[in-house]
Amino acid sequence: MDRRKVVVVLLLSYSIGCKALLPPPTQLRRKSPASLHDSQFDSLDAFADEASEAIMGGQDLNILPRGGDAFGGKLTNISPHSIATSIKLGLSQRVAADPNFLSKSIIEVILAATTQYMAELSQRGWDRIIPEIDFVFAGILTAVIGKYFSMWRVAKTIDVSKINIPTDEEGGTQKESNWREKVPTNAFQRTLLDGHTRPTISSRFLAFLVPMPQLFRAGVIASTVGYGLTSTLISLRSIYLPSYVAQTSPVSVPLAALYTGVFMALVSNIRYQLLQGVVEPCLIDVPFDKLARLGENDGFVGSIARWGMWKSIKASIIVGVRWGNGLLGSWIAIAGMRALKLQKLASQQ
């Protein structure tokens, strides 16, 4: 009976995810972001020096004009208004690069919870879910926060306010910005924020390194919230239900936070870079875009290409790929926690 319930939950989440992609989300009305002061760099050496210094120092410079990365970003004047503006700007830039980003966000949250639960079942077994419910609840809460931030941080971005800026003979914009705008948010995206300039090999490599401080901090925060809240609930349970005997040992919140931070900076970073930079745009979007162009032709091939079910098939493939990515990440995270003895049963002490 329990297995049937789990299957129903998975099928329900899968169908909700597919429907979230259909129809495509309405394009957000994009506004040109406010002009912010950026330090200018006159040479490639200065770019490399500033970039390496910032990364090694864990700094997050001028994050607001780069994609509204208020989630874990470093804002000069933190206020509810500045955070809301940053998030709105970041969302518009991500939707400009991927019109289905908003729908994929909904899917990611749903799948983050379901895939984490499936990974918990796989790692612990059906008969251990209730006895180890403390670990399961903390893991699901941490996964939802951590996975969505990972998706957000390394998603492709385009600044529509810079698309019409004229380019120079080398293909770059005539107005140079700070070094951060020379690094794409995704290592595999075709252009930078301006929609014209092709990223260099070095800037693509930096695209893996630049988000690491943010992802680490976000992982620490996500794990602290997940395991901290669980620890608080356990304390309340021990007060109001003193007869309840927990079969799990308390988790060290600082160690769990450190582990999650490192995991997100490395494993989640690579997984979502590949998912949103290679798998979805190259292996899914390109074939279906070609199919849509064939639909403009007359004849038998054109009629097949115009078949309405292709949109549903594409949505199902996207949900399936993200489900597999989420399940893989959850399985690795749980295996690592158990291997490092961060999650132990009371009988193992």
Side-chain angles (χ1 to χ4, degrees):
M1 184 64 181
D2 292 336
R3 293 176 183 269
R4 293 179 180 176
K5 290 182 179 179
V6 172
V7 171
V8 170
V9 170
L10 286 176
L11 292 176
L12 181 61
S13 64
Y14 188 85
S15 62
I16 292 175
C18 292
K19 290 180 180 179
L21 285 174
L22 295 173
T26 303
Q27 287 284 353
L28 296 180
R29 184 164 60 99
R30 304 185 183 99
K31 298 180 181 179
S32 300
S35 175
L36 298 175
H37 175 72
D38 292 330
S39 300
Q40 303 298 319
F41 297 93
D42 299 326
S43 67
L44 183 61
D45 291 337
F47 162 58
D49 292 342
E50 292 289 344
S52 60
E53 180 182 351
I55 293 172
M56 295 302 294
Q59 300 176 19
D60 223 355
L61 303 179
N62 298 318
I63 196 65
L64 182 56
R66 260 197 100 245
D69 293 334
F71 298 141
K74 183 178 180 180
L75 299 176
T76 304
N77 297 314
I78 299 178
S79 66
H81 177 71
S82 65
I83 293 176
T85 302
S86 177
I87 294 174
K88 182 179 179 180
L89 173 60
L91 180 61
S92 66
Q93 292 180 346
R94 284 159 174 80
V95 171
D98 182 0
N100 287 323
F101 179 80
L102 194 57
S103 297
K104 290 177 180 178
S105 296
I106 299 173
I107 293 173
E108 191 65 30
V109 172
I110 296 173
L111 295 183
T114 55
T115 54
Q116 180 68 24
Y117 180 63
M118 287 301 299
E120 298 284 356
L121 287 175
S122 174
Q123 288 284 339
R124 306 182 192 282
W126 297 87
D127 57 334
R128 300 302 306 170
I129 290 296
I130 298 301
E132 300 181 29
I133 190 65
D134 297 339
F135 296 157
V136 175
F137 178 77
I140 292 176
L141 187 59
T142 302
V144 171
I145 299 173
K147 288 181 179 180
Y148 184 73
F149 180 82
S150 298
M151 172 192 173
W152 173 279
R153 183 58 188 83
V154 300
K156 297 181 297 180
T157 53
I158 291 179
D159 191 343
V160 294
S161 67
K162 298 183 179 181
I163 291 179
N164 294 325
I165 295 179
T167 59
D168 55 25
E169 295 180 356
E170 297 180 356
T173 56
Q174 293 180 354
K175 181 180 178 181
E176 294 295 335
S177 301
N178 67 356
W179 72 270
R180 287 299 301 272
E181 296 203 15
K182 298 177 182 177
V183 180
T185 52
N186 187 283
F188 303 99
Q189 68 183 70
R190 294 184 177 181
T191 64
L192 298 179
L193 276 172
D194 58 14
H196 298 289
T197 309
R198 295 280 183 174
T200 62
I201 298 297
S202 59
S203 65
R204 291 186 186 278
F205 176 73
L206 284 172
F208 283 102
L209 301 181
V210 167
M212 283 186 176
Q214 270 191 305
L215 289 172
F216 177 81
R217 290 197 298 269
V220 170
I221 294 173
S223 186
T224 301
V225 172
Y227 285 93
L229 178 60
T230 303
S231 179
T232 302
L233 294 176
I234 292 174
S235 300
L236 293 175
R237 184 181 63 193
S238 63
I239 294 175
Y240 293 102
L241 296 174
S243 60
Y244 181 86
V245 179
Q247 299 188 32
T248 58
S249 299
V251 176
S252 172
V253 177
L255 290 179
L258 179 62
Y259 168 81
T260 306
V262 173
F263 181 87
M264 283 185 57
L266 296 176
V267 180
S268 297
N269 185 9
I270 295 174
R271 285 192 301 109
Y272 281 95
Q273 293 264 13
L274 292 172
L275 174 67
Q276 298 180 128
V278 178
V279 177
E280 288 184 343
C282 298
L283 303 182
I284 299 177
D285 291 342
V286 170
F288 281 94
D289 288 344
K290 291 182 178 179
L291 190 64
R293 287 194 292 270
L294 288 176
E296 299 175 358
N297 301 327
D298 297 328
F300 179 71
V301 175
S303 63
I304 294 179
R306 290 191 296 270
W307 188 34
M309 286 298 294
W310 289 121
K311 292 183 179 180
S312 298
I313 293 173
K314 179 182 178 180
S316 300
I317 294 175
I318 291 175
V319 173
V321 169
R322 285 188 171 269
W323 183 86
N325 176 68
L327 185 62
L328 175 64
S330 296
W331 192 91
I332 296 174
I334 298 171
M337 291 282 286
R338 302 183 76 179
L340 295 174
K341 306 298 183 182
L342 294 176
Q343 293 182 348
K344 296 186 295 183
L345 298 178
S347 59
Q348 296 176 340
Q349 286 188 327

